[in-house]
Amino acid sequence: MSRPFARIRRFHFNPPQRIAAGLLLLFLFQGLWLTSRQTLTDNDYQYARCGREMWERPGAVAVYFTSCGNIHDGVLAYRLAGLPLTLNLLAERALDTFRKPEDKVVQPAVPGLATSLSTWELRHQLTHILLLLRLPFLAVGVILGGGLWWVTRRLFGNFGGYTALALYCFSPAVLRACVTPNPEILAALAVYGGVYTCIGVAHSMQGPKRKWRPRIVLLTIIFGVTA
C-alpha cells in the first residue's frame, strides 16, 4: 500500500477522538446560537463591504486595497469575512439562469446604467449575512480547538486533552472572538501554528534535508500569515 493511504489507515476515530469531536460540535453549536441572537452592526457592514470589494473590485493601488483606505489591522480577516458573501452572490448569479426574468436576483444592465441592478444587497434580502460573515471565523476556532486538543493529549494524556479542550470550548473570550469578524482568532491560530512548526523544525534538524526543508518553508509561510 502506498504511503499516503497507509497514513490514512493509521487514523482511528476511537472514543478519545469522538469525545473531542463532541466538544468541538458543542463549541460550534454555541457559536451558531450566539450568531442567531446577534444583529448587524457597523463593524459587520465594514467587514462585509471591504471584504467583498477586495474580492470583486480590488483597487489599482497596492497599498489601498479598497475604498476603505489603508487597513491597519490586516486584510486577511476582511478577505475571510467577504469570501462567503462573494461566493453566495456568484451562486445566486448562477441560479439566475434557471429563474424567471422577474425573479432574478441580479438583473442585467439597462441603458444609462454602467452596472447591473441587484436585489442581493438589499437589507431585507440579507437574512443570512450574519451566518456567512461568521462561518470562516467559527471554522478557524474549530481548527484551533482541534490543534489544542491534539497537542495537550500527546503531552498530558486523554484527561489533559479533554480538560484543555473543555476550557477552550466554553471560554467566553474565545467564543466572542469567533462570533465577531476580527483578526484575533486568526492571529491565535497563526501563532499556535508557528510555535508548533518551530518545534517540528527543531526535531527534524538532525535528520536528512528532505525532512526539515519543507517544514522551514511552511514555517516561513506561517510567519507571513501571522504578520
Side-chain angles (χ1 to χ4, degrees), residues 135-148:
L135 274 180
F137 302 94
L138 282 171
V140 171
V142 171
I143 294 172
L144 181 58
L148 175 68

Side-chain angles (χ1 to χ4, degrees), residues 106-117:
V106 182
Q107 298 291 339
V110 297
L113 291 178
T115 58
S116 59
L117 298 176

Side-chain angles (χ1 to χ4, degrees), residues 21 30 53 62 70 80 86 95 98 100 129 146 156-157 167 176 179 188:
Q30 290 178 92
E53 195 170 337
N70 194 6
L80 279 181
T86 299
L95 292 175
F98 305 101
K100 297 179 180 179
I129 185 174
F156 307 108
L167 292 173
R176 183 174 62 250
V179 295

Side-chain angles (χ1 to χ4, degrees), residues 205-217:
M205 286 298 290
Q206 300 299 324
K209 293 182 179 181
R210 61 180 177 82
K211 287 189 175 182
W212 56 261
R213 276 183 173 176
R215 299 185 184 186
I216 291 179
V217 173

Side-chain angles (χ1 to χ4, degrees), residues 45-121:
Y45 279 109
Q46 177 82 357
Y47 271 86
R49 181 173 67 88
C50 300
R52 281 189 60 202
E53 195 170 337
M54 289 178 184
W55 292 107
E56 300 171 23
R57 297 180 299 277
V61 183
V63 177
Y64 291 88
F65 288 89
T66 68
S67 58
C68 303
N70 194 6
I71 297 174
H72 298 285
D73 54 351
V75 299
L76 183 59
Y78 286 86
R79 286 190 174 276
L80 279 181
L83 180 60
L85 300 175
T86 299
L87 293 177
N88 181 257
L89 180 58
L90 292 175
E92 292 291 346
R93 285 176 174 170
L95 292 175
D96 276 348
T97 58
F98 305 101
R99 295 183 176 128
K100 297 179 180 179
E102 62 273 15
D103 296 332
K104 291 182 182 294
V105 173
V106 182
Q107 298 291 339
V110 297
L113 291 178
T115 58
S116 59
L117 298 176
S118 173
T119 60
W120 187 85
E121 287 83 1

